[in-house]
Each structure stands twice: as structure tokens, then as C-alpha cells.
Amino acid sequence: DCSYCFLQNYLTNGTMSAVGNTQSLIEEVKQRLEEQPWRFFRIGTWELGDSLALEKDINQASELIMAFKNLPNAVLELKTKSDCVDTILDLDHGNKTVVSWSINPAKIIDEQEHKTASLQKRLAAMKKVEAAGYPIGLHFDPMIYYPEWEADYHELIDQIFDTISPKSLAWVSVGSLRFNPEMKQKIALNFPKSYIHSQEMILGPDGKIRYVKPLRLNMYKSFMKKLNSFLDSQTVLYFCMERFDVWEKILGYSPRSIGHLDYIFADKMRLKYPEMVETMGSLEMYETHQDT
């Protein structure tokens, strides 16, 4: 029930639901892998919900973890804002599942990420997952601007790496607050105490409302400088829904296509987690088939 969640703009049925036939999901994944055995796939379950919040009741993530252990060229990502990890800690995951957290400073979690686990609970869950041998993913997305943002996001990075080792990270994504134009009114209606939609924002070329570029660049530069002091070169670091010029100004390069980004992702996973990537297609193959 996060104030910024895009689902309030897409879903009209508030009933909590989950897929019952997990085996059908697994068969669909297997078919996709067989079609392109040279491609490395990252597959997640969180687009329309949280991967682990209901795990104690539905056991779906556990079934998927055990299935992915034996799948070639694929990694399962379980993305959560919960601390519901106890049921997966003793599984033989084969290093083929990444447990990820969408994370923000405590102030944003407390004020905007309603009904989710607190920062301290998420950090405690990360520590458990690391001890169980899972690779970890971090999604600093959306970063939200407020007067104390810089100090709070820097402190957040320190808190994370006081809890887990940077060597446990598979990937990190970074993005800033954005939403479709019609969602501004829904945020105001659904969360009248929220202030996130009151900053200066513009309509971008992708049709989304977002912070003006100078503000985004300033936030990213400060945040990345702090973050990069911890990361190794094999950790995948990428921007979510930012144009090539933002990549180049902050990271010094930009992928030339979606296929190129997929290739970079696969190559870094191959180097850091060889058991994940059994065969590696060429960059040309990734770019030729990037829309399939």
C-alpha cells in the first residue's frame, strides 16, 4: 500500500490474489528457455505484487526456488518489501535465486510505504538471507526528494553495508519517483497526507511525470558516489527508466540498446556466478533478438 505504487493506477480490483497453479508457471518458463538456450533470463514474480509477503500461506516462492535450481541459463528474482524469509532459508537454492529488496530510508518507509516491513526488519531479513547463501539484489527505486534526502540516503547505504557484505550483491538498480499524469490525482485522493507529488516535476518524453533532470542528476551523483565506494566491478548497476544521457553523465557509459543491456547483465552474472550462466550468446544475438 505504498503511496507511490503504480498499481493503484492499473488495478481496479483490491482483492488480494495469487496464482494457484505454480507448475504452469514453471512449464511456461521451461518452454521459453528452450526457445532461446543461448540467452540468460532473469525472471521475477513481483510485477503485480510482492514475491514473499504471502509466502507463509502459499509456498509459491519455495516451489519456484526448487524448480529454478535445475534450470539452465536462468535466475529467479524474488523482490519484496517484507521480512518474510524464514520459510526459504533452509532450501537448497543452488545459487539460482536472488532475493531482492526495494528499499528507502526509514523516513520514506514509515511515511510512504504503508503496511510494509520497517527498515530494521528488512535489514534483519537481508542478514538471514545472506547467511543462507542467497545472492542479494537492491532496488533504490523510487528515490524520493525531500529536504534531508542526501543525508538519509547516505545513511541508508551505511546501514545496509553494516548488515551485509557488498560481495553478496548480484545487482543494484536506481531510479527516481515517476508516475503517469493521471496518477497524481489518485495519490492525492488515496493518500491525502502524502507530499511526494508536490515537488517540481515535468512530463518526460516517455509520458511519465518525474523530477526535473538537474535535480535527478544531483541526486544520482551524490548517491552513486557513496554507493560506488562499496561495490565491486562485477556487481550489475543500472538505472531504471532513465535515458542514455543520464547513464553517460553518471556512469560514464550507456547501453546502446535493450539487447546490449541484457548482454552486459548476462556477462557480469557469468563472471560472478558461473553456475547461473551455462551458455553465453554473442552481443549480436542479444541485439538481433532483443524484441523477442
Side-chain angles (χ1 to χ4, degrees):
D1 203 29
C2 300
S3 61
Y4 55 76
C5 184
F6 75 94
L7 294 180
Q8 64 189 304
N9 195 42
Y10 286 87
L11 301 182
T12 57
N13 183 352
T15 303
M16 191 176 295
S17 59
V19 174
N21 188 355
T22 304
Q23 189 57 41
S24 69
L25 301 179
I26 295 169
E27 293 304 318
E28 187 175 343
V29 168
K30 287 180 178 179
Q31 180 181 346
R32 193 73 174 90
L33 298 183
E34 290 171 0
E35 291 170 357
Q36 293 184 319
W38 51 267
R39 182 190 290 275
F40 174 69
F41 289 88
R42 176 178 64 153
I43 299 174
T45 66
W46 39 263
E47 188 173 32
L48 296 179
D50 190 290
S51 295
L52 290 172
L54 302 179
E55 182 60 12
K56 187 176 178 180
D57 298 313
I58 66 174
N59 201 46
Q60 183 185 78
S62 297
E63 292 181 51
L64 292 172
I65 289 170
M66 298 309 294
F68 269 75
K69 181 182 71 168
N70 299 313
L71 294 181
N73 265 32
V75 63
L76 172 67
E77 181 177 20
L78 301 174
K79 186 177 179 184
T80 188
K81 290 179 183 172
S82 78
D83 62 343
C84 304
V85 299
D86 289 347
T87 58
I88 69 170
L89 297 178
D90 295 328
L91 299 179
D92 179 14
H93 53 80
N95 229 32
K96 299 293 292 291
T97 294
V98 174
V99 184
S100 296
W101 272 269
S102 175
I103 197 158
N104 261 308
K107 174 182 173 67
I108 296 300
I109 291 175
D110 295 343
E111 294 180 356
Q112 308 296 337
E113 298 182 359
H114 312 288
K115 303 179 185 178
T116 67
S118 68
L119 175 59
Q120 290 306 315
K121 287 184 177 180
R122 292 187 212 183
L123 292 174
M126 273 186 216
K127 191 169 185 176
K128 291 179 182 179
V129 162
E130 181 185 45
Y134 287 95
I136 292 173
L138 295 174
H139 299 278
F140 299 95
D141 186 14
M143 291 183 67
I144 293 177
Y145 177 81
Y146 57 100
E148 303 82 19
W149 74 269
E150 188 169 36
D152 287 359
Y153 277 98
H154 283 209
E155 182 183 7
L156 174 61
I157 293 172
D158 285 332
Q159 289 172 299
I160 289 171
F161 295 118
D162 283 344
T163 303
I164 63 170
S165 168
K167 294 180 180 179
S168 298
L169 287 183
W171 53 69
V172 178
S173 74
V174 180
S176 59
L177 179 66
R178 59 202 176 271
F179 46 79
N180 291 337
E182 65 271 17
M183 205 172 113
K184 183 173 182 177
Q185 184 176 358
K186 292 189 177 182
I187 294 173
L189 179 64
N190 295 335
F191 302 96
K193 294 182 180 180
S194 178
Y195 52 81
I196 63 170
H197 57 292
S198 61
Q199 302 297 333
E200 181 181 4
M201 305 182 86
I202 61 168
L203 182 65
D206 60 354
K208 290 184 172 58
I209 301 289
R210 60 182 74 230
Y211 299 136
V212 294
K213 187 173 290 185
L215 175 58
R216 301 202 316 273
L217 290 173
N218 182 49
M219 293 178 73
Y220 292 153
K221 284 178 183 177
S222 173
F223 181 77
M224 289 295 193
K225 183 177 180 180
K226 177 72 173 179
L227 180 63
N228 278 326
S229 66
F230 291 95
L231 300 186
D232 62 51
S233 60
Q234 291 182 342
T235 302
V236 179
L237 178 61
Y238 64 97
F239 282 111
C240 191
M241 296 191 181
E242 286 289 0
R243 293 196 333 166
F244 69 92
D245 54 333
V246 172
W247 284 70
E248 290 173 355
K249 286 184 169 111
I250 305 300
L251 299 181
Y253 83 99
S254 65
R256 66 193 189 199
S257 65
I258 294 297
H260 187 201
L261 178 58
D262 284 347
Y263 177 83
I264 292 170
F265 205 105
D267 194 41
K268 290 204 171 189
M269 288 295 98
R270 177 181 61 86
L271 294 173
K272 192 164 186 176
Y273 303 103
E275 64 277 10
M276 287 186 188
V277 187
E278 297 182 14
T279 58
M280 182 73 188
S282 67
L283 174 57
E284 182 181 4
M285 294 172 74
Y286 273 85
E287 291 196 306
T288 301
H289 298 279
Q290 65 183 14
D291 295 323
T292 60

